[in-house]
Amino acid sequence: MSQIPHDMAAEHQTPTIRTAWSAEEGATRARHLFAEHIGGSPDGVWAAPGRVNIIGEHTDYNNGFCLPIALPHRTYVAARRREDDRVTLVSQLDGSVVTWQGAIDDIAPGSVTGWKAYTGGVAWALRQAGYEVGGFEAALVTCVPLGAGLSSSAAVECGVGLALAGLYDLGLADADRTNLVNVARAAENEVAKAPTGGLDQTASLRTTEGHALLLDCDDWSARQVPFNLDGAGLELLVIDTRAPHRLVDGQYEARRRSCEDASRILGVGSLREVADLGAALAALDDDEMARRVRHVVTENDRVTEFVKLLDDGRIRDVGPLMNASHDSLRDDYEVTCPELDAAVDAARTAGALGARMTGGGFGGCAIALVDRDVRNKVATQIADTFRDASFSHPDFYVVTPGPAALRVQ
Ligand code: GLA
C-alpha cells in the first residue's frame, strides 16, 4: 500500500507515493515496543491485515454476499506466553504508548474498554468458547489507518487471536479459521459492544494474496476469486475522506434493526431469502424500510454479477456495478456523507471506471477502480474538490490484495 502525503497534494501537483510497512519493519517495531515496555524477546510476531470491501455492503448481517480483499496494511503483535495468569498489554496504535496489566480473569465485558476490549476481549472470547488460555504479554503496533473504516479493530482482534492460538497451541490457525473468526467477532460484539456483522474478521483471517474473497454470510462458506488488477493495467485507489464517523454506532444499529423488522414483516429468516423484490416492496407500507430492503436485495445481486464478470476475465467491466452500489448506499440505505459522495463524484468525473464508498459508511473511505495512468489525475481531482469544499484533506492509498493474518517471525 502506498500513501500520498498531505504536503505533496497541493493543487494539481502530481501525488507522491509512499509504501507501507514491510513485514520485517512491522515485526521490528513490535519487537522494539515489546523489549522496551515488557522486556526481553517475544515468542513470536503475528500480523493481521485491515480490509477493503470491494462490493457487498451492509449485506453481512443480512446473511448475504460480500467481496473483501486484505490490505497490505497490518497490525503486528509481538507476544510471549506466561505460566501464570498475568496479562500485560502494550500498544502503540495511534502514536502514544498505552499499557494495561491485570489477571486474565479481570478481562470481561464491561471491565475493559477501548483498545483493551479489542485486545484482551479476544482472550475472554477464547475462554468463553472453551479454549484454555492463560497469561500472556503482547505489544501491538499498526499501520492500518485507525477509524477510517478499514477494519483497524478487526486487525487487532485477529492479530491477537492468531498470536494466542499460536502461544497456546489451540489448533485454530488451520486453513478454515472459522472458529477464530467467531472468537474475534465475539470480542468485538460482546466486549467492545460493536454490533458488527463478521465481514471484517473473515476478511482479515480468510483472504488470500491476489484474490478477493466471495463470502456467503448465510453459512460462512467462501471462495477465493482471482483479483488481478495489475494484469488489466488497473489500480485500486483508496480515498480516506477523514470525515468523522457521524453517529456511526446508533445509525449502524438502526439499519440492522430496520432489516430485522422488515424480515419479520415479510416472514423470512433474513433479507437474503427475499426472492421477489417487487412483491416484497409492495408488502411494506413504510417507504424508508422498503428502500433499506431494496438496497440489500439489489446489492446481493450486484455481488453475484461482479464475481461473474471476474470469473469471465472481465475485470474492466465491473465499474458500473461499483457505481450502482454507491448510489444505492447513498439513496436507499442512506449511509454515505457529503465527503464520500464528493470523493466518488470527483473520481468518476476524472475517469475512474467505477467508484463507491466502502465499509460501514458515515465517513471513512471510498474506493475507485482506475487505469494505472489515470490514478494521479483522479487523486488530484479529489484533493482539489475537497479543498474547494473546505473538507479535511483526504489520504490516498493504492492497494493490492494481500495475505490473511499470519505468523511473520
Ligand atoms: C462495518 C461492519 C461490517 C459490515 C460493514 C458494512 O464494516 O463492521 O460487519 O456490516 O460495516 O458492509
Side-chain angles (χ1 to χ4, degrees), residues 51 53 56-61 149 151 188 196-200 252 359-361:
R51 63 99 189 89
N53 194 21
E57 221 65 83
H58 288 276
T59 46
D60 61 349
Y61 53 83
S151 292
E188 175 142 336
T196 53
L199 157 68
D200 307 341
Y252 185 91

Side-chain angles (χ1 to χ4, degrees), residues 80 162 194 232 281 299 310 334 336:
R80 184 168 63 199
L162 204 64
L281 297 180
E299 184 77 349
L310 292 183
E334 297 181 284
T336 68

Side-chain angles (χ1 to χ4, degrees), residues 51-127:
R51 63 99 189 89
V52 152
N53 194 21
I54 305 295
I55 195 162
E57 221 65 83
H58 288 276
T59 46
D60 61 349
Y61 53 83
N62 287 300
N63 295 12
F65 298 109
C66 311
L67 192 70
I69 62 168
L71 294 178
H73 270 198
R74 302 191 278 206
T75 291
Y76 293 82
V77 182
R80 184 168 63 199
R81 178 174 167 157
R82 286 182 65 105
E83 297 312 319
D84 57 18
D85 69 346
R86 304 302 297 167
V87 176
T88 300
L89 304 169
V90 180
S91 78
Q92 190 169 26
L93 298 174
D94 63 358
S96 55
V97 176
V98 193
T99 303
W100 183 87
Q101 281 184 312
I104 189 115
D105 286 340
D106 296 341
I107 303 169
S111 69
V112 282
T113 54
W115 70 277
K116 290 156 290 184
Y118 296 107
T119 314
V122 176
W124 174 86
L126 278 167
R127 297 175 94 211

Side-chain angles (χ1 to χ4, degrees), residues 15 40 96 99 117 137 142 147 154 165 201 210 217 237 242 247 254 258 290 295 297 309 318 320 361 392:
S96 55
T99 303
E137 297 153 321
T142 194
Q201 296 77 14
C217 303
L237 181 69
R242 300 178 65 239
L247 301 172
S258 187
H295 166 71
V297 175
L309 289 172
V318 300
S392 299

Side-chain angles (χ1 to χ4, degrees), residues 55-56 59 64-65 272 274-275 277 294-308 321:
I55 195 162
T59 46
F65 298 109
R272 162 68 174 278
V274 172
L277 178 60
R294 185 166 59 190
H295 166 71
V296 173
V297 175
T298 58
E299 184 77 349
N300 278 330
D301 290 345
R302 282 186 287 272
V303 178
T304 307
E305 281 179 57
F306 194 107
V307 169
K308 189 164 182 329
L321 291 168

